[in-house]
Coordinates of all heavy atoms in Angstrom, one line a residue:
M1 N 19.4 -3.8 -3.2 CA 18.3 -3.8 -2.3 C 18.6 -4.5 -1.0 O 19.1 -5.6 -1.0 CB 17.1 -4.4 -3.0 CG 15.7 -4.0 -2.5 SD 15.3 -2.2 -2.7 CE 14.8 -2.1 -4.4
A2 N 18.4 -3.9 0.2 CA 18.7 -4.5 1.4 C 17.4 -5.2 2.0 O 16.3 -4.8 1.7 CB 19.2 -3.4 2.4
Q3 N 17.7 -6.1 2.9 CA 16.6 -6.8 3.5 C 16.8 -6.8 5.0 O 17.9 -6.8 5.5 CB 16.5 -8.2 3.0 CG 15.8 -8.3 1.7 CD 15.7 -9.7 1.2 OE1 16.5 -10.5 1.4 NE2 14.6 -9.9 0.4
K4 N 15.7 -6.8 5.8 CA 15.8 -6.7 7.2 C 14.5 -7.2 7.8 O 13.4 -7.0 7.3 CB 16.0 -5.2 7.6 CG 16.2 -4.9 9.0 CD 16.4 -3.4 9.2 CE 16.5 -3.0 10.7 NZ 17.6 -3.6 11.4
T5 N 14.6 -7.8 9.0 CA 13.4 -8.3 9.7 C 13.4 -7.4 11.0 O 14.3 -7.4 11.8 CB 13.5 -9.8 10.1 OG1 13.6 -10.5 8.8 CG2 12.2 -10.2 10.8
I6 N 12.2 -6.7 11.1 CA 12.0 -5.9 12.3 C 11.1 -6.5 13.3 O 10.0 -6.9 12.9 CB 11.5 -4.5 11.9 CG1 12.4 -3.8 10.8 CG2 11.3 -3.6 13.1 CD1 11.8 -2.6 10.2
E7 N 11.5 -6.7 14.5 CA 10.5 -7.2 15.5 C 9.6 -6.2 16.0 O 10.0 -5.1 16.4 CB 11.3 -7.7 16.7 CG 11.9 -9.1 16.6 CD 12.5 -9.5 18.0 OE1 11.8 -9.9 18.9 OE2 13.7 -9.4 18.0
V8 N 8.3 -6.5 16.0 CA 7.3 -5.6 16.4 C 6.3 -6.2 17.4 O 5.9 -7.4 17.2 CB 6.4 -5.1 15.1 CG1 5.4 -4.1 15.5 CG2 7.3 -4.6 14.0
Q9 N 6.0 -5.5 18.4 CA 5.0 -6.0 19.4 C 3.7 -5.4 19.2 O 3.5 -4.2 18.9 CB 5.5 -5.7 20.8 CG 6.7 -6.6 21.2 CD 7.3 -6.2 22.6 OE1 7.1 -5.1 23.0 NE2 8.0 -7.1 23.2
G10 N 2.6 -6.1 19.5 CA 1.3 -5.6 19.5 C 0.4 -5.9 18.2 O -0.7 -5.4 18.1
M11 N 1.0 -6.5 17.2 CA 0.2 -6.8 16.0 C -0.5 -8.1 16.2 O 0.1 -9.2 16.4 CB 1.1 -6.9 14.8 CG 2.0 -5.7 14.5 SD 3.0 -6.0 13.0 CE 4.0 -7.4 13.4
T12 N -1.8 -8.1 16.2 CA -2.5 -9.3 16.5 C -3.5 -9.8 15.4 O -3.8 -10.9 15.3 CB -3.3 -9.2 17.9 OG1 -4.1 -8.0 17.8 CG2 -2.4 -9.1 19.1
C13 N -4.0 -8.8 14.6 CA -5.0 -9.3 13.6 C -4.6 -8.8 12.2 O -3.6 -8.2 12.0 CB -6.3 -8.7 14.0 SG -6.4 -6.9 13.6
G14 N -5.4 -9.2 11.3 CA -5.2 -8.9 9.9 C -5.1 -7.4 9.6 O -4.4 -6.9 8.7
H15 N -5.9 -6.6 10.4 CA -5.9 -5.2 10.2 C -4.6 -4.6 10.7 O -4.0 -3.7 10.1 CB -7.1 -4.5 10.9 CG -7.1 -3.0 10.7 ND1 -7.0 -2.2 11.8 CD2 -7.3 -2.3 9.6 CE1 -7.0 -0.9 11.3 NE2 -7.2 -1.0 9.9
C16 N -4.0 -5.1 11.8 CA -2.7 -4.7 12.2 C -1.7 -4.9 11.1 O -0.8 -4.1 10.9 CB -2.3 -5.5 13.5 SG -3.4 -5.4 14.9
K17 N -1.8 -6.1 10.6 CA -0.9 -6.5 9.5 C -0.9 -5.5 8.3 O 0.1 -5.0 7.9 CB -1.2 -7.9 9.0 CG -0.5 -8.4 7.8 CD -0.8 -9.9 7.6 CE -0.5 -10.4 6.2 NZ 0.9 -10.6 6.0
S18 N -2.2 -5.2 7.9 CA -2.3 -4.2 6.8 C -1.8 -2.8 7.2 O -1.2 -2.1 6.3 CB -3.8 -4.0 6.5 OG -4.4 -5.3 6.2
S19 N -2.0 -2.4 8.5 CA -1.6 -1.0 8.9 C -0.1 -0.9 8.8 O 0.4 0.1 8.3 CB -2.0 -0.8 10.3 OG -3.4 -0.9 10.5
V20 N 0.6 -1.9 9.3 CA 2.1 -1.9 9.3 C 2.6 -2.0 7.9 O 3.5 -1.2 7.5 CB 2.6 -3.0 10.3 CG1 4.1 -3.1 10.1 CG2 2.2 -2.6 11.7
E21 N 2.1 -2.9 7.2 CA 2.6 -3.1 5.8 C 2.3 -1.8 5.0 O 3.2 -1.4 4.2 CB 1.9 -4.3 5.1 CG 2.4 -5.6 5.7 CD 1.7 -6.9 5.2 OE1 0.6 -6.7 4.5 OE2 2.2 -8.0 5.5
G22 N 1.1 -1.2 5.2 CA 0.8 0.0 4.4 C 1.7 1.1 4.8 O 2.1 1.9 3.9
A23 N 2.0 1.3 6.1 CA 2.8 2.4 6.5 C 4.2 2.3 6.0 O 4.8 3.3 5.6 CB 2.8 2.5 8.1
L24 N 4.7 1.1 6.0 CA 6.1 0.9 5.5 C 6.1 1.1 4.0 O 7.0 1.7 3.5 CB 6.6 -0.5 5.9 CG 6.9 -0.7 7.4 CD1 7.2 -2.1 7.7 CD2 8.1 0.2 7.8
S25 N 5.1 0.5 3.3 CA 5.1 0.6 1.8 C 5.0 2.0 1.4 O 5.5 2.4 0.3 CB 4.0 -0.2 1.2 OG 4.1 -1.6 1.6
A26 N 4.4 2.9 2.2 CA 4.2 4.3 1.8 C 5.5 5.1 1.8 O 5.6 6.2 1.3 CB 3.2 4.9 2.7
L27 N 6.5 4.5 2.6 CA 7.8 5.2 2.6 C 8.6 5.1 1.3 O 8.6 4.0 0.7 CB 8.7 4.6 3.7 CG 8.2 4.7 5.2 CD1 9.1 4.0 6.1 CD2 8.1 6.2 5.6
D28 N 9.1 6.2 0.9 CA 9.9 6.2 -0.4 C 11.2 5.3 -0.1 O 11.9 5.5 0.9 CB 10.3 7.6 -0.7 CG 11.0 7.6 -2.1 OD1 10.7 6.8 -3.0 OD2 11.9 8.5 -2.3
G29 N 11.4 4.3 -0.9 CA 12.5 3.4 -0.7 C 12.2 2.0 -0.2 O 13.0 1.1 -0.3
V30 N 11.0 1.9 0.3 CA 10.5 0.5 0.8 C 9.9 -0.2 -0.4 O 8.9 0.3 -1.0 CB 9.6 0.6 1.9 CG1 9.1 -0.8 2.3 CG2 10.3 1.2 3.2
N31 N 10.5 -1.3 -0.8 CA 10.0 -2.0 -1.9 C 8.9 -3.0 -1.6 O 7.9 -3.2 -2.3 CB 11.2 -2.8 -2.5 CG 11.0 -3.2 -3.9 OD1 10.4 -2.5 -4.7 ND2 11.4 -4.4 -4.3
E32 N 9.1 -3.6 -0.4 CA 8.2 -4.7 0.0 C 8.2 -4.8 1.5 O 9.2 -4.7 2.2 CB 8.7 -6.0 -0.6 CG 8.0 -7.3 -0.1 CD 7.2 -7.9 -1.2 OE1 7.7 -8.1 -2.3 OE2 6.0 -8.2 -0.9
A33 N 7.0 -5.0 2.1 CA 6.9 -5.2 3.6 C 5.9 -6.4 3.8 O 4.8 -6.4 3.3 CB 6.4 -4.0 4.2
N34 N 6.4 -7.3 4.6 CA 5.5 -8.5 4.8 C 5.5 -8.9 6.3 O 6.5 -9.3 6.8 CB 6.0 -9.7 4.0 CG 5.0 -10.9 4.0 OD1 3.8 -10.7 4.1 ND2 5.6 -12.1 4.0
V35 N 4.3 -8.7 6.9 CA 4.2 -9.0 8.3 C 3.9 -10.4 8.6 O 3.0 -11.0 7.9 CB 3.0 -8.1 9.0 CG1 2.7 -8.6 10.3 CG2 3.4 -6.6 9.0
D36 N 4.6 -11.0 9.5 CA 4.3 -12.4 10.0 C 3.7 -12.2 11.4 O 4.4 -11.9 12.4 CB 5.6 -13.2 10.0 CG 5.4 -14.6 10.4 OD1 4.4 -14.9 11.2 OD2 6.2 -15.5 10.1
L37 N 2.4 -12.4 11.5 CA 1.7 -12.2 12.8 C 2.2 -13.1 13.8 O 2.3 -12.8 15.0 CB 0.2 -12.3 12.6 CG -0.5 -11.1 11.8 CD1 -2.0 -11.4 11.6 CD2 -0.3 -9.8 12.6
E38 N 2.4 -14.4 13.5 CA 2.8 -15.4 14.4 C 4.2 -15.1 15.0 O 4.5 -15.4 16.1 CB 2.8 -16.8 13.8 CG 1.5 -17.0 13.0 CD 0.8 -18.3 13.5 OE1 1.4 -19.4 13.5 OE2 -0.4 -18.1 13.8
A39 N 5.1 -14.6 14.1 CA 6.5 -14.4 14.5 C 6.7 -13.0 15.1 O 7.7 -12.7 15.6 CB 7.4 -14.6 13.3
N40 N 5.6 -12.1 15.1 CA 5.7 -10.8 15.6 C 6.9 -10.0 14.9 O 7.7 -9.3 15.6 CB 5.9 -10.8 17.1 CG 4.7 -11.3 17.8 OD1 3.6 -10.7 17.6 ND2 4.8 -12.4 18.6
N41 N 6.9 -10.1 13.6 CA 7.9 -9.3 12.9 C 7.4 -8.9 11.5 O 6.4 -9.3 11.1 CB 9.3 -10.1 12.8 CG 9.2 -11.3 12.0 OD1 8.5 -11.4 11.0 ND2 10.0 -12.3 12.4
V42 N 8.2 -8.0 10.9 CA 7.9 -7.6 9.6 C 9.2 -7.6 8.8 O 10.2 -7.1 9.2 CB 7.2 -6.2 9.5 CG1 8.0 -5.1 10.2 CG2 7.0 -5.8 8.0
A43 N 9.1 -8.3 7.6 CA 10.3 -8.4 6.8 C 10.2 -7.3 5.7 O 9.2 -7.2 5.1 CB 10.3 -9.8 6.1
V44 N 11.2 -6.5 5.6 CA 11.2 -5.4 4.6 C 12.4 -5.6 3.6 O 13.5 -6.0 4.0 CB 11.3 -4.1 5.3 CG1 10.0 -3.7 6.0 CG2 12.5 -4.0 6.3
E45 N 12.0 -5.2 2.4 CA 13.1 -5.1 1.4 C 13.1 -3.6 1.0 O 12.1 -3.0 0.7 CB 12.6 -5.9 0.2 CG 13.7 -6.1 -0.9 CD 13.2 -6.9 -2.0 OE1 12.5 -6.3 -2.9 OE2 13.4 -8.1 -2.0
Y46 N 14.3 -3.0 1.1 CA 14.3 -1.6 0.9 C 15.7 -1.1 0.3 O 16.6 -1.8 0.3 CB 14.1 -0.9 2.3 CG 15.2 -1.2 3.3 CD1 16.2 -0.3 3.7 CD2 15.2 -2.4 4.0 CE1 17.2 -0.6 4.6 CE2 16.2 -2.8 4.9 CZ 17.1 -1.8 5.2 OH 18.1 -2.2 6.1
D47 N 15.6 0.1 -0.1 CA 16.8 0.8 -0.7 C 17.5 1.6 0.3 O 17.0 2.6 0.8 CB 16.3 1.6 -1.9 CG 17.5 2.3 -2.6 OD1 18.6 2.4 -2.0 OD2 17.3 2.7 -3.8
E48 N 18.7 1.1 0.8 CA 19.4 1.8 1.9 C 19.7 3.3 1.6 O 20.0 4.0 2.5 CB 20.7 1.1 2.2 CG 20.5 -0.4 2.6 CD 21.8 -1.1 2.5 OE1 22.3 -1.5 1.4 OE2 22.4 -1.3 3.6
S49 N 19.8 3.6 0.3 CA 20.1 5.0 0.0 C 19.0 5.9 0.1 O 19.1 7.1 0.1 CB 20.7 5.1 -1.4 OG 19.7 4.8 -2.4
K50 N 17.8 5.3 0.3 CA 16.6 6.2 0.4 C 15.9 6.1 1.8 O 15.2 7.1 2.2 CB 15.5 5.7 -0.6 CG 15.9 6.0 -2.0 CD 14.8 5.7 -3.0 CE 15.1 6.1 -4.4 NZ 14.1 5.6 -5.3
V51 N 16.0 5.0 2.5 CA 15.3 4.9 3.8 C 16.2 4.1 4.8 O 16.9 3.2 4.3 CB 13.9 4.3 3.5 CG1 14.1 2.8 3.1 CG2 13.0 4.4 4.8
D52 N 16.1 4.5 6.1 CA 16.9 3.7 7.0 C 16.0 3.1 8.1 O 14.8 3.3 8.1 CB 18.0 4.6 7.7 CG 17.4 5.8 8.4 OD1 16.2 5.8 8.6 OD2 18.2 6.7 8.8
A53 N 16.7 2.3 9.0 CA 15.9 1.6 10.0 C 15.1 2.5 10.9 O 14.0 2.1 11.3 CB 16.9 0.7 10.8
S54 N 15.7 3.6 11.3 CA 15.0 4.5 12.2 C 13.7 5.1 11.6 O 12.7 5.2 12.3 CB 15.9 5.5 12.8 OG 16.3 6.4 11.8
S55 N 13.7 5.4 10.3 CA 12.5 5.9 9.7 C 11.5 4.8 9.6 O 10.3 5.1 9.7 CB 12.7 6.5 8.3 OG 14.0 6.8 8.1
M56 N 11.9 3.6 9.4 CA 10.9 2.5 9.3 C 10.3 2.2 10.6 O 9.1 2.0 10.8 CB 11.6 1.3 8.7 CG 12.0 1.5 7.2 SD 12.5 0.0 6.4 CE 14.2 -0.3 7.0
A57 N 11.2 2.3 11.7 CA 10.7 2.1 13.1 C 9.7 3.2 13.4 O 8.6 2.9 14.0 CB 11.8 2.1 14.1
E58 N 10.0 4.4 13.0 CA 9.1 5.5 13.3 C 7.7 5.3 12.6 O 6.7 5.6 13.2 CB 9.7 6.8 12.8 CG 9.2 8.1 13.4 CD 10.1 9.3 13.0 OE1 11.3 9.2 13.0 OE2 9.4 10.3 12.5
A59 N 7.7 4.9 11.4 CA 6.5 4.6 10.7 C 5.6 3.6 11.3 O 4.4 3.7 11.4 CB 6.8 4.2 9.2
I60 N 6.3 2.5 11.9 CA 5.6 1.5 12.6 C 5.0 2.0 13.9 O 3.8 1.8 14.2 CB 6.5 0.3 12.9 CG1 7.0 -0.4 11.6 CG2 5.9 -0.7 13.8 CD1 8.1 -1.3 11.7
E61 N 5.8 2.8 14.6 CA 5.4 3.3 15.9 C 4.2 4.3 15.7 O 3.3 4.4 16.6 CB 6.6 4.0 16.6 CG 7.5 2.9 17.2 CD 8.9 3.4 17.6 OE1 9.2 4.6 17.3 OE2 9.6 2.6 18.3
D62 N 4.2 5.1 14.6 CA 3.1 6.0 14.3 C 1.8 5.3 14.2 O 0.8 5.9 14.3 CB 3.4 6.7 13.0 CG 4.4 7.9 13.2 OD1 4.8 8.2 14.3 OD2 4.9 8.4 12.2
Q63 N 1.9 4.0 13.8 CA 0.6 3.2 13.7 C 0.2 2.6 15.1 O -0.8 2.0 15.2 CB 0.8 2.0 12.7 CG 1.2 2.4 11.3 CD 0.0 3.3 10.7 OE1 -1.1 2.9 10.7 NE2 0.4 4.4 10.2
G64 N 1.0 2.9 16.1 CA 0.6 2.4 17.4 C 1.3 1.1 17.9 O 0.8 0.5 18.9
Y65 N 2.3 0.7 17.2 CA 2.9 -0.6 17.6 C 4.3 -0.3 18.1 O 4.9 0.7 17.8 CB 3.0 -1.6 16.4 CG 1.6 -1.8 15.8 CD1 1.2 -1.1 14.7 CD2 0.7 -2.6 16.5 CE1 -0.1 -1.3 14.2 CE2 -0.6 -2.8 16.0 CZ -1.0 -2.1 14.9 OH -2.2 -2.3 14.4
D66 N 4.8 -1.2 19.0 CA 6.2 -1.1 19.6 C 7.2 -1.8 18.8 O 7.0 -3.0 18.5 CB 6.2 -1.5 21.0 CG 5.4 -0.5 21.9 OD1 5.4 0.7 21.6 OD2 4.7 -1.0 22.8
V67 N 8.3 -1.1 18.4 CA 9.4 -1.8 17.7 C 10.4 -2.3 18.8 O 10.7 -1.5 19.7 CB 10.0 -0.8 16.7 CG1 11.3 -1.5 16.1 CG2 9.0 -0.5 15.7
V68 N 10.8 -3.5 18.7 CA 11.8 -4.0 19.6 C 13.2 -3.7 19.0 O 13.5 -4.0 17.9 CB 11.7 -5.6 19.7 CG1 12.7 -6.1 20.6 CG2 10.3 -6.0 20.1
K69 N 13.9 -2.9 19.8 CA 15.3 -2.5 19.3 C 16.4 -3.2 20.1 O 16.2 -3.7 21.1 CB 15.4 -1.0 19.5 CG 14.5 -0.2 18.5 CD 14.4 1.3 18.8 CE 13.3 1.9 17.9 NZ 12.7 3.1 18.5
Ligands
LIG101 MO1 -8.0 -5.7 15.4 MO2 -5.4 -5.3 15.2 O1 -9.0 -4.7 16.7 O2 -5.0 -4.0 16.4 S1 -6.8 -3.9 14.3 S2 -6.3 -6.5 16.7

């Protein structure tokens, strides 16, 4: 299982946190997603053989947030 911290802009409240965590968790291969609102990032634990960084970024952007690349 791989781990990665993705920087995300625009998450300000608990609902933002839930949206991003929910969108990532819905992807096949994502085991765990945990948003840190103060740090503006999301820590993900995922299976590299099933999901990659660009699909995770896309899922976050679909929720209306900007991923820092
Ligand atoms: Mo509350 Mo988070 O309006 O965008 S959902 S700040």
